[in-house]
Amino acid sequence: MSRILIVGGTGFIGRRLAVALADAGHDVAALGRAELDLAEDDEARMIARVLGRDLVINAAGLVQSHGTNTLEAVHATGPERLFQACVRAGVRRLIQISALGASADGFTAYQRTKSQAEQALAAHPALDWCVLRPSVVIGRGGASTTALLALAALPLPLRLGPGTWQVQPIPLDDLAALVVQLVEREGPLPRFLDVVGPEVMTTDRLTSTLRAWLGEAPRRFLPVPETVLKVLATLGGRALEGPLNRDVLVMLKAGNTAEAQPVEAALGRPLRPLADALARQPATQADHWHARLFFVRPLLRGSLGLLWVVTGLLSFGLYPVAKSRQMLAEVGLHGLPADVALYTGAGLDLLLGILLLLRWRPVLVGSIMLATVLAFTGIALGLSAEYWLHPFAPILKNLPILAGTLALMALED
């Protein structure tokens, strides 16, 4: 039994490694960012975390920077402190989860920062270390898998580039099984392993395989010019905060393949083809919903946020103030009280809309929106029948707004 610490242990790969290693009888501590933050923690804090462990696995990683949680900090400078902390704490072995294509002269910051960590690790001969360089890892809960499933679930699946870009996806369970084998290996660890699946697949074939797993009927692909795809990826990287960004497109275009025999030798068995691995975990209704709602969530957030912003601006004067005052008079508000109600409501609408578009605590903002809509609807009970019987149903539209807000709150993390 080994005493193992997993950095990034609450992430997509880290969680699965923790389960696999615990099932194999090892003592596992899976730490999230709150317990060990590669971007912020100093070496002394890291030493305290890794002390007493036989092996450390660094599974922390980002696709794009978020505030102080940058690619440089999480992939390069943070791991450098972690490796030094392991040496000083007497940790004997370390497994670094890197990425296929990591290189000092890589096309993207993702590849270059991953390579920096590899170079830093090579400077510590006292450690028995191994760098795993996985291709696209496919499994439930993965950011890449989620995005690819969303593309596959569209009525007409989008073609990534020409559809012939090559990848060699590795099922998450095979990656976890490989790590268990390496942890239990008696001799020295292999220095570098390209962790790929047994099949080189085009992006079209990968999309079709995932679509078949979801139980969706085959459909022709919707070709998207590469320039348009880059624009969509840029917008998606910002709006979805996920793996759909320009750097990922660059890496896909460059190819993401390697020889599978070395990883099969380390695993001790043949790798599973992706379709076979997926068949072992059949898709559920939740998988269908998740895939189909992936692009709906930012659309819902954006449309609701825009509605509240526009409503606020209209009430501030884009809509004739005299008519707004006339409406307020029908519910008993005149003069100064009417103006206070009008401009307070307008300010609240504008603020809530902006906060929602900025994704600031969307569940809290959604809760305030619900209360506000209910309050406005209650006040509207005092309006004449003209407003309730209007063909555009301006008040009854509060019902789908309430439902949409509830749906958004349920979809937010």
Side-chain angles (χ1 to χ4, degrees):
M1 179 186 74
S2 296
R3 294 164 297 177
I4 301 168
L5 182 139
I6 303 176
V7 181
T10 58
F12 166 57
I13 291 176
R15 288 197 308 267
R16 185 65 189 91
L17 297 185
V19 171
L21 290 165
D23 286 346
H26 299 284
D27 176 8
V28 182
L31 304 186
R33 186 181 174 191
E35 293 85 19
L36 198 159
D37 188 340
L38 289 177
E40 299 290 342
D41 289 350
D42 58 20
E43 189 177 311
R45 179 173 170 83
M46 290 184 181
I47 291 174
R49 291 299 187 187
V50 304
L51 196 64
R53 296 291 167 176
D54 301 312
L55 183 144
V56 169
I57 300 172
N58 181 23
L62 294 175
V63 175
Q64 55 186 322
S65 299
H66 300 289
T68 60
N69 214 32
T70 65
L71 292 174
E72 177 75 19
V74 175
H75 290 171
T77 57
E80 288 179 22
R81 292 195 302 276
L82 176 66
F83 304 153
Q84 186 63 35
C86 287
V87 171
R88 293 192 175 181
V91 176
R92 296 182 295 107
R93 308 175 94 188
L94 187 142
I95 295 175
Q96 167 77 3
I97 307 296
S98 186
L100 194 62
S103 169
D105 57 355
F107 296 111
T108 66
Y110 179 84
Q111 294 169 316
R112 294 190 294 272
T113 53
K114 282 289 189 180
S115 176
Q116 283 181 254
E118 294 182 5
Q119 295 171 32
L121 189 54
H124 293 289
L127 281 172
D128 180 18
W129 55 264
C130 174
V131 171
L132 299 181
R133 292 169 167 170
S135 179
V136 178
V137 180
I138 299 295
R140 279 194 180 98
S144 295
T145 304
T146 299
L148 289 168
L149 284 169
L151 292 172
L154 291 171
L156 291 179
L158 294 186
R159 168 162 285 150
L160 294 173
T164 56
W165 293 341
Q166 293 188 330
V167 293
Q168 209 165 338
I170 178 79
L172 178 58
D173 284 348
D174 275 358
L175 172 58
L178 171 65
V179 170
V180 172
Q181 289 297 316
L182 293 174
V183 167
E184 297 178 349
R185 190 185 184 109
E186 293 185 2
L189 295 171
R191 285 306 194 207
F192 294 94
L193 270 178
D194 291 335
V195 184
V196 295
E199 304 170 291
V200 175
M201 309 175 75
T202 64
T203 46
D204 270 5
R205 185 181 168 199
L206 174 58
T207 302
S208 296
T209 300
L210 294 173
R211 187 174 178 87
W213 180 69
L214 287 171
E216 299 285 352
R219 290 285 188 273
R220 66 179 179 87
F221 283 88
L222 180 64
V224 181
E226 191 172 332
T227 53
V228 176
L229 196 59
K230 288 179 180 178
V231 173
L232 293 176
T234 300
L235 295 175
R238 294 172 181 171
L240 302 176
E241 297 186 357
L244 295 176
N245 60 57
R246 291 175 68 96
D247 280 0
V248 170
L249 288 183
V250 170
M251 290 187 285
L252 284 173
K253 184 176 181 179
N256 205 245
T257 64
E259 174 58 49
Q261 192 279 327
V263 71
E264 287 189 325
L267 181 59
R269 64 166 172 81
L271 292 158
R272 294 189 182 93
L274 180 60
D276 293 350
L278 290 172
R280 294 166 65 91
Q281 299 182 11
T284 66
Q285 187 179 54
D287 294 312
H288 287 263
W289 286 354
H290 198 188
R292 290 169 179 168
L293 292 173
F294 183 81
F295 296 112
V296 172
R297 184 174 72 167
L299 180 63
L300 187 58
R301 184 192 312 122
S303 60
L304 283 172
L306 182 62
L307 172 67
W308 283 76
V309 167
V310 170
T311 300
L313 293 175
L314 288 171
S315 298
F316 266 121
L318 292 181
Y319 181 78
V321 174
K323 290 187 176 181
S324 295
R325 288 171 176 158
Q326 180 182 348
M327 188 185 307
L328 289 169
E330 291 196 29
V331 295
L333 292 176
H334 306 272
L336 181 61
D339 285 347
V340 170
L342 174 62
Y343 293 117
T344 300
L348 180 61
D349 286 358
L350 187 59
L351 175 63
L352 291 174
I354 292 173
L355 291 177
L356 187 61
L357 292 174
L358 294 176
R359 294 197 69 188
W360 183 84
R361 302 184 68 176
V363 174
L364 173 61
V365 171
S367 299
I368 299 173
M369 285 180 167
L370 290 176
T372 303
V373 172
L374 290 173
F376 286 170
T377 304
I379 293 172
L381 293 174
L383 295 174
S384 64
E386 173 189 354
Y387 295 96
W388 290 90
L389 300 177
H390 193 283
F392 288 168
I395 298 176
L396 289 178
K397 284 177 181 174
N398 284 344
L399 292 177
I401 291 172
L402 289 169
T405 304
L406 285 170
L408 180 63
M409 291 168 64
L411 290 171
E412 289 294 340
D413 298 329

